[in-house]
Amino acid sequence: MVFARISEVAAPDDHVVTAKEALESLYLRLEQEVEVRMVAAALRAGWSAGEALDAIDELRRDDIEAASGH
């Protein structure tokens, strides 16, 4: 019976993992996919992989500084 299965679902207050734990692996995979795509775009534009990674690192530093208010 469908109703029997529904009653087995955990209540919102009974989370087994935190939202961060549930989303962390997806976040990391997406972050990796974005970096791969940016490096690929840079390579197609004639940059070296090292130049692309340096530019990505610089963008991340700028983003962190902007978020921290510096």
Side-chain angles (χ1 to χ4, degrees):
M1 175 178 236
V2 174
F3 296 114
R5 278 194 242 138
I6 291 173
S7 66
E8 295 173 13
V9 175
D13 294 336
D14 296 334
H15 290 296
V16 177
V17 295
T18 66
K20 180 185 178 209
E21 291 168 330
L23 297 173
E24 189 171 32
S25 66
L26 174 60
Y27 178 84
L28 294 173
R29 282 195 316 266
L30 289 172
E31 187 176 63
Q32 183 179 26
E33 181 180 335
V34 166
E35 185 166 320
V36 167
R37 287 179 181 218
M38 287 192 296
V39 170
L43 292 173
R44 285 191 303 273
W47 294 18
S48 72
E51 291 170 321
L53 292 172
D54 288 345
I56 291 168
D57 288 343
E58 186 175 339
L59 288 169
R60 285 188 177 133
R61 280 191 301 275
D62 291 348
D63 195 35
I64 291 169
E65 287 177 11
S68 68
H70 293 116

